[in-house]
Amino acid sequence: MELNKHLSSRVVLSAPSDHSKIRTLSEVIVAVSVLSIVGAGWIIVSFCMFKQVRTFRHQLILGLAISDFWMAVNFLSSCAMNLSGHTIGDPRQQKFCSFNGFMTQLFVVQTDYWVLVIAICTFLILANYKHMSTWIQEHRVVLWLLPWGLSSLWAAIGLASAGYGNIGAWCWFTSDKVRLLVNFIPRWLIIIVILVLYARLYRLIYTAHNRFMSFNDDTSPQGLQPDTLEPETGSVSSTHRIGHPTISLQMESKDTEAGLEQTDGTIHGRTHARQPSPLLKKMARQMMAYPLVYMLIWTIPTSIRIYQSVTGKPAPFGIATVDKACIVIQGFADAVIYGINETSVAAWRESFRKSPPTAPAPALPSISVNVRHDIRVERTLRSESLDEIL
């Protein structure tokens, strides 16, 4: 009797008891779920349609998009049950609720692992860890199995040990303390890890840019020679990994603007440019956006878990609705921070373009710079443009 009373109190903290509130909550989550489905689906379709976005890192992003897609579909299915009149809190829907909770735990944890894998692989490739970056690019199957295997294991353990119950819009662990310990604390540890990794990458790129600018300040245009420096060898060189091994880093400028694109290994640029590269600024913003967006998304849900665990009182309905919407919106957020880049947008723009441009854009003059160790561009980095990596 006491156990049933305790379980009942836990469910009250997690799910509204009023039918009108349940319906309102379900309608909100349905709308957000559809948004995440569209976002994740856009990444999947882009990968399937366009060869230019089938790079090594895009393959990892595809895994994240698949997890986001099915997670949103799972949320949509439970809300559809509520709106159809067969509420998931009904004891007759216990089997569906257990399945729904298992899938929730599976994909929520799996998206965390995908984000961590993407951050680690990006760091290893751009930070010039030759052997490790070579290994991960030759063992892509392992990278795919890790998120699926670990998330399936934890979801099965959760089903066997604690079980899943109704929390309002879907089924999950009914105890806020359990969710806080099992899901939210590990998630924040992952966020901290990727924050450190991308901050380190930002520092590497910023330092390389400053050294390049310092070199330009000390060298006059008349003294420049059209010699090029071949980057160090011994890194990834196989074309079956992520691209052509002869592609390198290029800096070009038009007035005060600069861009990065794939070239034959020569570093180009106007030596009088003193303003920071807009593209480097953009890449720095992108890198730091990954952990910051996740921090923003999970701040409210984590705060609600702590509040309800400490006080034993349910959060106000409006805040609780925002809490669940933040979890569901992750698929759309991943589509924004991972899916929208120059490569994918340009591919879609090209597919909808009815006729090619009448005349090609004039080529910009460029000056070759012998930089030596100021900017180290390894074969792993040369195999993709920085836009595709970041």
Side-chain angles (χ1 to χ4, degrees):
M1 184 68 179
E2 291 295 329
L3 178 61
N4 291 335
K5 183 178 180 181
H6 178 60
L7 292 175
S8 176
S9 64
R10 293 194 307 178
V11 172
V12 169
L13 291 180
S14 303
S17 56
D18 186 87
H19 289 287
S20 61
K21 292 182 177 180
I22 294 176
R23 184 172 186 85
T24 300
L25 175 62
S26 299
E27 290 174 347
V28 172
I29 299 304
V30 164
V32 180
S33 297
V34 171
L35 195 62
S36 289
I37 290 173
V38 172
W42 182 77
I43 298 179
I44 297 172
V45 172
S46 298
F47 183 89
C48 295
M49 289 185 61
F50 307 117
K51 293 182 179 180
Q52 54 265 50
V53 299
R54 297 178 188 175
T55 62
F56 168 69
R57 188 169 182 271
H58 281 112
Q59 292 178 1
L60 301 180
I61 296 175
L62 175 65
L64 174 63
I66 292 174
S67 297
D68 285 332
F69 180 86
W70 288 114
M71 180 172 67
V73 169
N74 185 60
F75 291 145
L76 183 63
S77 65
S78 57
C79 291
M81 288 284 290
N82 283 339
L83 294 175
S84 67
H86 305 283
T87 58
I88 57 177
D90 192 322
R92 292 173 295 182
Q93 306 297 332
Q94 182 57 43
K95 290 184 178 180
F96 172 84
C97 189
S98 296
F99 174 78
N100 183 260
F102 177 88
M103 300 302 288
T104 299
Q105 180 66 13
L106 172 70
F107 289 116
V108 168
V109 173
Q110 190 175 126
T111 55
D112 293 339
Y113 291 147
W114 277 118
V115 171
L116 180 61
V117 167
I118 292 171
I120 292 175
C121 291
T122 303
F123 177 79
L124 292 177
I125 292 175
L126 290 185
N128 190 31
Y129 289 89
K130 302 178 184 178
H131 299 294
M132 298 184 68
S133 61
T134 301
W135 189 91
I136 62 176
Q137 293 179 67
E138 292 180 340
H139 298 80
R140 307 181 191 189
V141 176
V142 176
L143 298 181
W144 270 76
L145 290 179
L146 278 175
W148 281 93
L150 291 176
S151 59
S152 299
L153 175 63
W154 297 129
I157 292 176
L159 179 63
S161 59
Y164 303 110
N166 172 38
I167 65 166
W170 63 82
C171 295
W172 208 2
F173 296 116
T174 55
S175 170
D176 288 281
K177 291 182 179 179
V178 172
R179 271 186 281 164
L180 185 64
L181 295 175
V182 175
N183 292 295
F184 288 84
I185 291 180
R187 179 172 295 110
W188 278 100
L189 293 176
I190 291 175
I191 291 175
I192 293 173
V193 169
I194 65 175
L195 180 63
V196 171
L197 291 177
Y198 284 124
R200 174 61 177 166
L201 283 180
Y202 167 79
R203 183 180 178 184
L204 291 175
I205 294 178
Y206 182 79
T207 301
H209 175 69
N210 283 348
R211 289 179 179 178
F212 182 72
M213 299 303 296
S214 176
F215 179 84
N216 287 340
D217 291 338
D218 296 337
T219 308
S220 64
Q222 290 79 7
L224 295 175
Q225 301 297 327
D227 299 329
T228 62
L229 177 68
E230 181 67 20
E232 297 180 8
T233 59
S235 183
V236 181
S237 60
S238 168
T239 57
H240 74 275
R241 289 172 188 152
I242 52 177
H244 300 288
T246 58
I247 295 175
S248 182
L249 174 68
Q250 179 189 27
M251 286 188 177
E252 293 184 348
S253 63
K254 182 179 181 181
D255 297 330
T256 59
E257 296 182 356
L260 293 176
E261 64 182 30
Q262 297 173 340
T263 63
D264 57 357
T266 304
I267 301 179
H268 301 285
R270 291 188 180 183
T271 58
H272 65 271
R274 295 179 179 271
Q275 296 185 0
S277 167
L279 186 54
L280 288 179
K281 286 183 176 181
K282 175 187 174 183
M283 288 187 298
R285 288 195 300 266
Q286 281 183 315
M287 286 188 298
M288 299 311 297
Y290 301 151
L292 293 179
V293 167
Y294 286 115
M295 292 174 66
L296 179 63
I297 289 176
W298 291 103
T299 295
I300 293 180
T302 304
S303 302
I304 298 300
R305 300 289 79 72
I306 295 175
Y307 171 80
Q308 295 186 164
S309 298
V310 173
T311 64
K313 299 178 181 179
F317 175 71
I319 298 178
T321 302
V322 175
D323 159 30
K324 293 180 173 62
C326 287
I327 299 175
V328 182
I329 198 63
Q330 183 170 323
F332 178 77
D334 288 336
V336 172
I337 63 178
Y338 286 107
I340 298 179
N341 53 50
E342 269 72 9
T343 304
S344 55
V345 172
W348 280 103
R349 187 185 298 116
E350 185 66 24
S351 66
F352 287 108
R353 183 178 296 171
K354 295 181 179 180
S355 59
T358 56
L364 296 176
S366 60
I367 301 176
S368 300
V369 181
N370 189 0
V371 182
R372 296 188 181 181
H373 297 292
D374 290 316
I375 299 181
R376 301 180 61 188
V377 186
E378 299 297 333
R379 291 183 183 271
T380 51
L381 178 56
R382 288 186 287 159
S383 56
E384 287 185 288
S385 68
L386 288 181
D387 265 338
E388 291 174 342
I389 294 178
L390 300 178

